[in-house]
Amino acid sequence: MSVVQRSRRPSARPARVRLVATVVAVSLAVGQADQRSQDDDFKKLRAFTGTWEAKDVEAVGGVGDVVVSWKPMLNGKFIEQRYVFKGQGVEPLLHGVIVIGRDPADDVVRSWWFDSKGGVATSVLTSWDGNKSNWSTTFLNTDGTQEKSDENYLTVRDKDSYVWVLAITGGDKTGAVFNRVRPKKSEWPDPQYDTPIGLAGPLKDMAWWAGKYAANSVNAFTEKPTTGYSNCGWILNGKFLQFDSASLDSDLDLMRYRALIGVDPATGKLTGWEFNSAGTVGKYTVSNEGQDIVGKALSPDAGLLEYKGKMTKTEDGLKYEASGDLDGESKTIYGGILKRLK
């Protein structure tokens, strides 16, 4: 038999255990501090909530007024920014939507930009210097070229005004003072469900997605049954489809979801950028005339879901069936029946 004898000298093992425990504790504390920092950085952006206007702004080859609105979306996990740049003509020179939130992939505050010319951009909040938020931005033009920002910042002057400056590397620099205004009649048209006139390219192949639906689904991450409504309509001059849903699961938890679907200038592929009220961020590609979907979505709580799905047209709506691997360990099967509303 073996006998374990307690030494009178301090053992090296407890010291190593204490050291490892200390390192782990410090690492966890640092991680929690980083997360709190990102949460704080995101919360500071709430100062911009409201409607703002800037006059005589020089941008995108013209001069005009810009109206911007900021509001919480997806149960406050994200912020939606909408903008309209109105020139001298009847039609806006440019309008777009920006989704802002914490990206769980690299734990940064990120924004995703989509505009009425089909352009896409991503921007990372790099720092707050007092009331000034600094962003690093990459623009993807529809011809596949990229532009990067030398400067992109917002500075809060007071509760009723802020300054915006954007300088493109090797290109133009623009800026404006935005003043808070009362919300006007909506500058932003509601999603349209009829196929836009002259629509061409890959998006035309999935025009049959557009509509308003009552939905019975299964949550991809929890596999709980859900009941709710979904809308899929054209926005930004038909350059994107916006898919929104709101549903209750069997525990009466409210889940909201948004995807913006368009051609990714970086790849030329039909792509969906997706977000939900649990803080999930994902991206998928659509092929085979809107039927085949392949993507990844990262939930801060449930982990990484890699999935494949198929959307099919039914007599009275849509049917979606999908399966995936959750964190590479468990399989999940989910989908939904969407019945078109009249």
Side-chain angles (χ1 to χ4, degrees):
M1 72 184 292
S2 61
V3 178
V4 178
Q5 218 173 2
R6 182 177 296 169
S7 172
R8 292 183 179 179
R9 293 191 306 168
S11 168
R13 184 178 179 185
R16 287 198 299 272
V17 171
R18 288 194 296 271
L19 177 60
V20 171
T22 301
V23 170
V24 170
V26 169
S27 298
L28 288 173
V30 170
Q32 291 168 353
D34 287 344
Q35 181 172 336
R36 286 195 299 272
S37 175
Q38 296 300 334
D39 287 343
D40 291 343
D41 286 347
F42 178 69
K43 289 177 181 178
K44 289 180 182 178
L45 295 172
R46 294 176 182 171
F48 297 103
T49 299
T51 304
W52 309 79
E53 186 174 39
K55 298 286 189 179
D56 300 325
V57 180
E58 295 186 25
V60 293
V63 178
D65 300 340
V66 181
V67 177
V68 178
S69 70
W70 298 64
K71 66 178 183 180
M73 62 176 277
L74 301 176
N75 296 358
K77 287 293 185 180
F78 296 89
I79 294 171
E80 177 193 74
Q81 181 186 351
R82 296 178 175 182
Y83 63 89
V84 177
F85 179 38
K86 300 184 294 183
Q88 303 300 321
V90 176
E91 294 296 325
L93 292 174
L94 190 71
H95 57 287
V97 60
I98 301 173
V99 177
I100 308 169
R102 271 187 59 207
D103 187 347
D106 43 16
D107 198 29
V108 296
V109 176
R110 189 183 302 276
S111 63
W112 295 262
W113 304 33
F114 310 90
D115 71 43
S116 56
K117 294 185 178 181
V120 175
T122 57
S123 192
V124 174
L125 177 57
T126 57
S127 65
W128 273 96
D129 297 331
N131 291 330
K132 177 183 177 184
S133 64
N134 298 293
W135 301 77
S136 176
T137 307
T138 300
F139 297 91
L140 297 175
N141 301 312
T142 53
D143 61 3
T145 59
Q146 288 190 11
E147 294 178 304
K148 294 183 179 293
S149 64
D150 278 339
E151 290 182 292
N152 186 13
Y153 64 81
L154 303 168
T155 302
V156 179
R157 301 203 309 180
D158 52 52
K159 66 182 181 66
D160 291 323
S161 66
Y162 69 87
V163 175
W164 167 67
V165 172
L166 172 65
I168 301 298
T169 302
D172 296 334
K173 183 174 182 177
T174 189
V177 175
F178 284 85
N179 294 297
R180 190 184 297 276
V181 295
R182 290 187 177 183
K184 302 179 179 180
K185 182 180 178 181
S186 178
E187 301 275 359
W188 182 269
D190 292 331
Q192 302 298 305
Y193 301 103
D194 294 330
T195 303
I197 297 173
L199 182 67
L203 267 175
K204 185 177 181 180
D205 293 334
M206 56 182 298
W208 51 276
W209 280 34
K212 298 180 180 181
Y213 304 94
N216 291 293
S217 307
V218 173
N219 187 291
F221 290 96
T222 66
E223 293 189 313
K224 293 180 181 179
T226 66
T227 300
Y229 294 93
S230 298
N231 298 313
C232 184
W234 301 98
I235 63 170
L236 300 174
N237 292 347
K239 296 298 184 181
F240 294 90
L241 274 169
Q242 179 174 295
F243 195 109
D244 289 323
S245 69
S247 59
L248 290 172
D249 66 16
S250 53
D251 294 327
L252 299 183
D253 290 327
L254 176 63
M255 178 65 70
R256 296 185 183 274
Y257 171 90
R258 170 168 293 181
L260 291 119
I261 308 161
V263 176
D264 185 345
T267 63
K269 294 181 179 180
L270 200 54
T271 301
W273 292 261
E274 58 183 346
F275 315 89
N276 74 20
S277 53
T280 299
V281 174
K283 191 175 183 179
Y284 57 82
T285 57
V286 185
S287 60
N288 191 19
E289 297 184 344
Q291 297 183 80
D292 296 336
I293 300 169
V294 178
K296 297 179 181 180
L298 182 59
S299 163
D301 300 320
L304 177 65
L305 175 67
E306 300 183 63
Y307 62 90
K308 294 182 179 180
K310 182 172 284 292
M311 185 78 82
T312 54
K313 188 176 182 179
T314 65
E315 289 184 0
D316 57 359
L318 306 174
K319 181 179 180 181
Y320 180 59
E321 299 174 290
S323 62
D325 293 321
L326 189 55
D327 263 354
E329 297 179 354
S330 60
K331 299 286 186 180
T332 179
I333 298 175
Y334 61 100
I337 302 294
L338 285 71
K339 186 175 182 180
R340 192 180 299 274
L341 298 172
K342 296 181 180 180

